[in-house]
Amino acid sequence: AFAQAKKENRPLFLYWGAVWCPPCNQVKATVFSRADFIERARVFIPVYIDGDAPAAQKLGARFKASGYPTMILFRPDGSEITRLPGEVDAARYMQVLQQGMSGGRPVKALLDAARAGKPLSATDWNLLAFYSWETDEQALLPRAERVTTLWQLAQRSTATAPEASARLAMKAAAMASGARDASFDKAAALQRLRAALADPKVSRATFPELSWGAGSLPGYLTEAGSPQRAQLVQQWDRRLTQFAADGGLSRLDRIAAAGGRVALARLDAPKGPLPVALQTEVRAVSTLAMRDVKDRYEREAVVYAAADLLADANLLDESDELLRAELKRSATPYYHMLGLASNARKRGDNAAALNWHQQAYETSKGPATRLQWGSSYVRALVDLAPNDATRIEAAARSVIGELAPTPETFHARNRGTLERMGAKLVEWNKDGRQEATLARLRAQLAGTCAQLPAAAPERAPCNDAL
């Protein structure tokens, strides 16, 4: 594909995803089906790599792709232009795609220029702000530099591109929140956030940050019980209420807005009951979102999001009903089984939770997906049935037994998944009582690792996983 792009002097568009991934299905439904996207696709070379395809994980590592979906636009010479953000609305996505294809500088060059203090246009700032920082995988910036750099970019872009500036500021604040960064200027960030909430246009441009950040940012930027928190939550909830009722937003976005309202309501009482009025609103948003969903990709994404929203609102029976009804019609029912496992766990029904995890693993398809689902099952067993060593060993042996003894297996998501399972098993054995079980599992994995080529660099992560 790269050879063809170079020969024909056409950009290349790489989409790395999975059939079960809700954000992938949303992009398929709302972006890839658009007439203007199809028109653009005649200009670039489109490449789709499914995460379960042979060598997909090694290709993911090559392009620093870990999260699904990762969408990268390349120049004809193979250099990366930008990574497209999967969480923005379709119109904004198309704007970023067009800007990237119009012959401007790659985002890396724009970042270097901005950090050097050189002037950028509004279009340049938009490419930086609507770059997919969530799927960057340190392709542009080391993780340790992201908060400081994005905050500086937000300050420098305020006059030229206010919407881009607000998004950069909120990205920086969200990353600082995740890291519990004590050095971050929270007072300035709070001021920027409240200004964004007060401006309808800026709020719309930063919708993903406002909906998904509602569960973390207010608690990070304000003190519990303070007037600042009360004012911020009230202002935030008012804006999200408008979004949840906005027919111009996608079904998934309206669900996300309602989910943000639930997160705000739980901010200072995470285990308390939700107001009845908010539960009623959640039901209404979920019902409306599910009505007349004809596109199969969109339905997969919306079912997952609506069931998750209902569960967050303590409407577990209604969430279960939605998920169970979807098992028969879904192309990837094993994904919805994880939702049923999560609901059972919230009820304290550990046996049911583990049974759903087991069913999800047993029915999952594709080598990377089965490794991910199998690892999830093993980790759930350690959490919920730590004394059932026989079942834990049997599940772990099954997962290890499916590993293909090829270098391609031990890259990207696969490597991380295997390491998480290994860390959980090592934690399970912290008192040494499961050493015999771990020894048997290590021996089994060593047999797989030994089949890799002697000089393969993948041997080390394979052997170290447990």
Side-chain angles (χ1 to χ4, degrees):
F2 275 114
Q4 182 185 353
K6 186 174 183 179
K7 180 181 178 181
E8 299 176 6
N9 194 33
R10 297 165 64 190
L12 184 145
F13 178 91
L14 171 64
Y15 164 63
W16 196 67
V19 295
W20 50 262
C21 154
C24 302
N25 286 322
Q26 179 69 5
V27 168
K28 290 175 191 174
T30 61
V31 176
F32 293 173
S33 62
R34 286 172 60 106
D36 50 356
F37 181 86
I38 294 168
E39 185 65 30
R40 297 283 186 280
R42 296 190 176 99
V43 178
F44 57 68
I45 305 292
V47 180
Y48 168 47
I49 300 176
D50 185 280
D52 284 304
Q57 297 301 316
K58 190 171 184 178
L59 285 169
R62 172 183 168 186
F63 295 110
K64 294 190 174 182
S66 176
Y68 297 145
T70 295
M71 296 166 286
I72 310 176
L73 185 66
F74 295 91
R75 281 178 160 176
D77 65 5
S79 59
E80 185 172 317
I81 299 173
T82 191
R83 298 191 175 210
L84 283 299
E87 85 283 7
V88 299
D89 64 53
R92 178 72 70 173
Y93 186 101
M94 291 307 304
Q95 181 186 51
V96 176
L97 178 62
Q98 179 57 36
Q99 289 170 347
M101 292 177 63
S102 63
R105 288 179 288 175
V107 169
K108 187 179 187 308
L110 294 176
L111 178 63
D112 291 342
R115 297 180 84 178
K118 297 178 181 178
L120 298 183
S121 68
T123 297
D124 293 337
W125 285 119
N126 274 327
L127 276 172
L128 279 169
F130 290 91
Y131 175 79
S132 183
W133 294 102
E134 286 74 16
T135 61
D136 173 60
E137 299 298 335
Q138 304 187 82
L140 287 186
L141 273 177
R143 190 166 284 109
E145 297 178 18
R146 291 195 306 177
V147 172
T148 300
T149 301
L150 294 186
W151 183 251
Q152 290 172 347
L153 296 180
Q155 309 319 306
R156 292 173 187 167
S157 57
T158 302
T160 307
E163 292 177 27
S165 174
R167 181 171 164 93
L168 287 164
M170 292 182 67
K171 290 283 185 192
M175 292 173 186
S177 169
R180 309 308 294 176
D181 188 341
S183 64
F184 186 66
D185 190 347
K186 293 194 280 188
L190 177 60
Q191 185 177 1
R192 292 294 305 268
L193 174 57
R194 295 205 62 180
L197 286 166
D199 187 319
K201 190 175 180 183
V202 174
S203 291
R204 187 66 186 81
T206 56
F207 170 81
E209 289 69 39
L210 290 177
S211 55
W212 299 111
S216 58
L217 278 177
Y220 174 64
L221 297 177
T222 62
E223 296 295 328
S226 66
Q228 289 86 356
R229 176 169 295 186
Q231 292 165 3
L232 176 63
V233 168
Q234 184 181 43
Q235 184 182 12
W236 203 318
D237 185 70
R238 192 160 52 241
R239 182 62 71 190
L240 288 178
T241 300
Q242 294 171 355
F243 284 141
D246 186 346
L249 290 174
S250 71
R251 292 179 173 90
L252 209 62
D253 283 347
R254 294 199 295 273
I255 291 173
R261 294 193 64 207
V262 171
L264 289 174
R266 292 206 182 285
L267 188 60
D268 293 318
K271 295 185 178 180
L274 281 182
V276 173
L278 182 54
Q279 284 190 324
T280 301
E281 180 66 20
V282 163
R283 285 192 183 96
V285 170
S286 300
T287 300
L288 184 63
M290 289 302 302
R291 187 178 299 157
D292 300 325
V293 186
K294 294 184 173 60
D295 184 281
R296 67 187 180 96
Y297 297 119
E298 186 176 20
R299 184 176 183 87
E300 292 282 353
V302 170
V303 165
Y304 156 74
D308 195 47
L309 173 61
L310 290 166
D312 285 345
N314 282 339
L315 301 170
L316 295 175
D317 291 344
E318 292 165 59
S319 176
D320 275 1
E321 183 181 358
L322 179 57
L323 292 169
R324 285 177 181 274
E326 203 63 21
L327 294 181
K328 295 179 181 179
R329 64 185 298 170
S330 172
T332 56
Y334 48 86
Y335 192 88
H336 299 311
M337 290 175 188
L338 293 184
L340 289 162
S342 175
N343 288 352
R345 194 166 179 169
K346 287 177 181 176
R347 291 189 182 92
D349 189 347
N350 292 349
L354 290 175
N355 285 338
W356 280 119
H357 270 289
Q358 184 175 1
Q359 284 188 61
Y361 170 45
E362 290 174 348
T363 57
S364 61
K365 297 177 181 178
T369 296
R370 286 190 61 76
L371 174 56
Q372 184 173 336
W373 262 244
S375 169
S376 175
Y377 174 39
V378 171
R379 288 182 282 119
L381 280 167
V382 172
D383 286 339
L384 304 180
N387 295 322
D388 195 344
T390 301
R391 190 175 179 185
I392 291 171
E393 181 175 0
R397 291 185 73 84
S398 176
V399 173
I400 295 169
E402 291 188 27
L403 295 174
T406 61
E408 287 80 3
T409 299
F410 301 93
H411 284 277
R413 292 175 68 94
N414 280 2
R415 179 173 174 175
T417 297
L418 194 59
E419 288 172 348
R420 283 191 296 275
M421 186 180 81
K424 179 62 73 171
L425 289 168
V426 169
E427 177 192 339
W428 177 54
N429 184 43
K430 62 185 176 184
D431 58 5
R433 289 192 294 176
Q434 308 299 339
E435 189 57 41
T437 301
L438 264 291
R440 290 191 294 271
L441 294 173
R442 288 180 181 127
Q444 182 189 7
L445 182 59
T448 298
C449 301
Q451 296 179 59
L452 297 173
E458 292 82 6
R459 272 199 172 205
C462 179
N463 281 310
D464 291 345
L466 297 186

